């Protein structure tokens, strides 16, 4: 029966990987796989276990209890992501991200490359790599008219956004998963992964800056467009500050991160409603024919734009992996892997390379069930780095790459030929720095 379960999981996994070929949204096989796996466990009355990390063994439990346990852990991640996505959409409602474009004054392609690279690295650590990529490519389309040049910039944005998301507990779904699961602490993650991530950013950017594609100047509009709303800059800084506040809230209160994110969302939403009402009051005073129905709540508007398909995909894949974990399959596989490849660093680097082909969310979810190291162990930091940055090696290997591919119609093979090797060099360079820091410094 376990063999059949593994086959079903691999079939669902393959359907997720071939999403673009099959033209079926990956949430569909993820949800189907999750439901079928748990149904088979229930109907066949298979024994389920909970991994005891301290004793490094499996403890028998009941299916209702283990399913509720995994659902609770998954819900923490999903509620956290919902809060973060809503805050980002509220910022966008006030056109807050247009403020960033106002800081771009130079015409030099080389300087623009470094500006966009640094912005991608920093923004992705705050608003996650997917959103940072969307924001920066939107700005890129307004700044650079030549499409071929934009493709090169987009490729480097993908690499640097993924590098920036790897060192922040709120910068990538995988690091958020590890953080919420208690595998890493925010401060320790930054301490161990920041420098390797910087190296992962600097090496490809420095090499690319010597390319002909980044020589010369670009034509930039003399008149820079600011935010369409006068509250745009305020909401941008308030929203980013509210998201950054969450790790501090968790450290002080020791409550799960989603609680702090809900508080941050409440604060941002309050100011959004106040500013929206103020704008409505002014417009109503000018035009008395306005009706209350014409006033749209920015919070309601933001909630309609968040990516629910992504939320449902995470629900499906995390609970599907949890099914394998509950059966003890991942635990036993990890034991076999440790015997075959005793060097953990090689295993984790292979995990990172694998994330370029296979979605990094299920890979990290599987690793959480495979390895039983305690909280804040260097292994988890290395997994965060590898899974976060390894996906840059293929354009379909990360959410940032997929969204950039859609926005700029980037060809898979163009990226493979021009950008993949830069991502690989940065990935390996950062990985070696991580190992050196872990073994000789920290």
């Amino acid at each position: 029966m376990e063999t059949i379960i593994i086959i079903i999981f691999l079939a669902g996994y393959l359907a997720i990987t071939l999403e673009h070929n099959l033209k079926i949204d990956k949430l569909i096989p993820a949800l189907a796989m999750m439901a079928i796996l748990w149904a088979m466990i229930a109907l066949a009355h298979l024994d389920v276990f909970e991994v005891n990390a301290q004793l490094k063994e499996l403890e028998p439990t009941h299916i209702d209890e283990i399913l509720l346990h995994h659902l609770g852990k998954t819900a923490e991640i999903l509620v956290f992501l919902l809060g973060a996505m809503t805050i980002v959409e509220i910022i966008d409602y006030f056109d807050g991200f247009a403020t960033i474009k106002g800081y771009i004054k130079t015409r030099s392609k080389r300087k623009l490359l470094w500006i966009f690279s640094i912005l991608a690295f920093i923004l992705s650590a705050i608003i996650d790599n997917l959103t940072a990529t969307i924001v920066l490519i939107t700005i890129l389309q307004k700044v650079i008219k030549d499409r071929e040049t934009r493709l090169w910039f987009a490729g480097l944005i993908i690499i640097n956004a993924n590098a920036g998301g790897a060192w922040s507990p709120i910068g990538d779904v995988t690091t958020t998963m590890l953080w919420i699961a208690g595998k890493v602490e925010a401060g320790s993650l930054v301490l161990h992964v920041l420098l390797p991530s910087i190296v992962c950013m600097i090496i490809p950017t420095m090499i690319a800056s010597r390319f002909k594609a980044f020589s010369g100047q670009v034509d930039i509009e003399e008149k820079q467009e600011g935010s369409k709303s006068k509250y745009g800059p305020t909401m941008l800084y308030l929203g980013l500050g509210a998201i950054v506040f969450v790790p501090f809230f968790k450290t002080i209160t020791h409550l799960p991160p989603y609680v702090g994110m809900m508080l941050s969302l409440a604060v941002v939403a309050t100011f959004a409603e106040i500013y929206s009402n103020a704008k409505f009051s002014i417009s109503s005073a000018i035009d008395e024919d306005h009706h209350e129905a014409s006033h749209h709540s920015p919070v309601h508007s933001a909630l309609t734009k968040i990516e629910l398909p992504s939320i449902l995909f995470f629900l499906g894949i995390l609970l599907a992996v949890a099914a394998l974990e509950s059966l003890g399959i991942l635990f036993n596989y990890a034991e076999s892997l440790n015997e075959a490849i005793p060097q953990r660093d090689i295993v984790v680097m292979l995990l990172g390379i694998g994330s370029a082909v296979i979605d990094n969310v299920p890979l990290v979810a599987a690793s959480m069930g495979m390895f039983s190291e305690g909280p804040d162990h260097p292994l988890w930091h290395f997994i965060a780095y590898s899974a976060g940055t390894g996906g840059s090696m293929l354009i379909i290997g990360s959410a940032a790459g997929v969204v950039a591919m859609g926005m700029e119609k980037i060809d898979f093979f163009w990226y493979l030929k021009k950008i993949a090797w830069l991502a690989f060099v940065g990935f390996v360079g950062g990985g070696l720095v991580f190992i050196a820091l872990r073994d000789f410094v920290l």
Side-chain angles (χ1 to χ4, degrees):
M1 181 59 72
E2 288 188 358
T3 303
I4 297 174
I5 285 177
I6 293 174
I7 292 173
I8 292 173
F9 180 82
L10 293 177
Y13 212 113
L14 183 62
I16 292 170
T17 305
L18 299 176
E19 173 189 16
H20 299 286
N21 303 83
L22 298 176
K23 292 181 172 54
I24 297 176
D25 195 296
K26 60 185 177 183
L27 76 90
I28 297 174
L31 291 175
M33 175 173 60
M34 176 270 291
I36 293 171
L37 290 179
W38 281 104
M40 292 187 67
I41 292 172
L43 293 174
H45 303 288
L46 299 178
D47 294 330
V48 289
F49 307 90
E50 186 171 359
V51 178
N52 188 317
Q54 293 180 339
L55 299 177
K56 293 188 177 183
E57 62 181 25
L58 299 174
E59 295 181 348
T61 185
H62 193 272
I63 186 170
D64 291 340
E65 295 176 358
I66 196 68
L67 184 55
L68 187 61
H69 167 76
H70 288 301
L71 178 61
K73 292 298 180 183
T74 302
E76 287 188 13
I77 298 172
L78 301 187
V79 173
F80 179 91
L81 293 175
L82 280 171
M85 289 178 176
T86 307
I87 290 175
V88 169
E89 291 298 339
I90 290 175
I91 296 173
D92 190 54
Y93 178 90
F94 288 92
D95 201 26
F97 293 113
T99 306
I100 298 173
K101 186 172 180 285
Y103 294 116
I104 301 174
K105 306 292 184 182
T106 183
R107 294 174 181 269
S108 168
K109 290 183 181 179
R110 187 166 287 114
K111 289 182 180 179
L112 279 173
L113 171 63
W114 282 102
I115 289 172
F116 274 100
S117 296
I118 293 170
L119 280 174
F121 188 81
I122 295 174
L123 271 181
S124 63
I126 302 173
I127 59 174
D128 79 60
N129 48 15
L130 171 63
T131 309
T133 303
I134 294 172
V135 170
L136 291 177
I137 290 185
T138 300
I139 296 172
L140 188 68
Q141 291 171 340
K142 297 177 181 178
V143 172
I144 299 176
K145 297 176 182 177
D146 180 60
R147 183 174 180 275
E148 185 65 24
T149 303
R150 283 205 313 270
L151 292 182
W152 279 99
F153 274 90
L156 271 297
I157 285 174
I158 293 168
I159 294 174
N160 296 320
N162 287 332
W167 63 270
S168 167
I170 53 179
D172 186 274
V173 175
T174 53
T175 54
T176 299
M177 287 164 55
L178 291 167
W179 181 46
I180 291 178
K183 301 297 184 183
V184 298
E185 291 295 331
S188 184
L189 178 69
V190 173
L191 180 65
H192 286 82
V193 184
L194 176 57
L195 186 57
S197 296
I198 291 175
V199 172
C200 184
M201 177 201 75
I202 288 179
I203 291 178
T205 306
M206 188 174 292
I207 295 173
S209 66
R210 302 296 177 184
F211 293 173
K212 186 178 178 180
F214 296 105
S215 62
Q217 296 186 334
V218 295
D219 294 327
I220 297 180
E221 299 174 6
E222 292 294 333
K223 184 180 179 181
Q224 295 286 351
E225 293 181 7
S227 174
K228 295 177 183 178
S229 169
K230 68 176 183 178
Y231 301 113
T234 303
M235 292 306 298
L236 173 66
Y237 302 132
L238 177 63
L240 296 183
I243 295 174
V244 172
F245 162 77
V246 175
F248 295 98
F249 179 86
K250 179 184 182 297
T251 302
I252 295 170
T253 63
H254 301 290
L255 290 171
Y258 72 87
V259 179
M261 185 58 77
M262 291 299 102
L263 175 60
S264 293
L265 174 58
V267 172
V268 173
T270 299
F271 280 91
E273 293 291 343
I274 291 172
Y275 292 149
S276 181
N277 289 333
K279 180 181 178 181
F280 175 69
S281 298
I282 293 173
S283 62
S284 296
I286 295 173
D287 184 2
E288 294 182 357
D289 292 332
H290 279 201
H291 298 291
E292 192 66 30
S294 65
H295 174 231
H296 299 286
S297 165
V299 179
H300 292 176
S301 177
L303 287 170
T304 62
K305 293 181 179 179
I306 59 177
E307 291 200 22
L308 279 179
S310 297
I311 297 295
L312 289 174
F313 167 70
F314 296 143
L315 173 67
I317 197 65
L318 292 176
L319 286 182
V321 172
L324 299 188
E325 180 184 342
S326 299
L327 290 172
I329 294 174
L330 294 182
F331 182 84
N332 295 329
Y333 176 74
E335 293 295 317
S336 302
L337 190 64
N338 290 336
E339 293 177 6
I341 309 177
Q343 179 53 259
R344 284 286 179 85
D345 291 338
I346 296 176
V347 174
V348 177
M349 291 290 278
L350 290 174
L351 181 74
I353 294 173
S355 70
V357 182
I358 304 170
D359 196 284
N360 57 2
V361 171
L363 276 181
V364 172
S367 71
M368 289 165 62
M370 285 167 54
F371 303 115
S372 55
E373 272 70 10
D376 236 21
H377 191 279
L379 172 71
W380 302 118
H381 300 138
F382 202 13
I383 288 175
Y385 169 80
S386 294
T389 60
S392 301
M393 284 180 273
L394 291 180
I395 196 166
I396 60 170
S398 66
V402 171
V403 74
M405 185 181 189
M407 293 179 72
E408 281 293 345
K409 303 296 184 288
I410 303 174
D411 182 71
F412 175 89
F413 293 102
W414 181 92
Y415 187 94
L416 182 64
K417 180 181 178 182
K418 306 287 187 179
I419 307 295
W421 72 274
L422 290 172
F424 177 76
V425 170
F427 169 75
V428 173
L432 293 175
V433 169
F434 178 91
I435 294 170
L437 281 174
R438 180 197 63 196
D439 294 343
F440 303 110
V441 180
L442 297 175

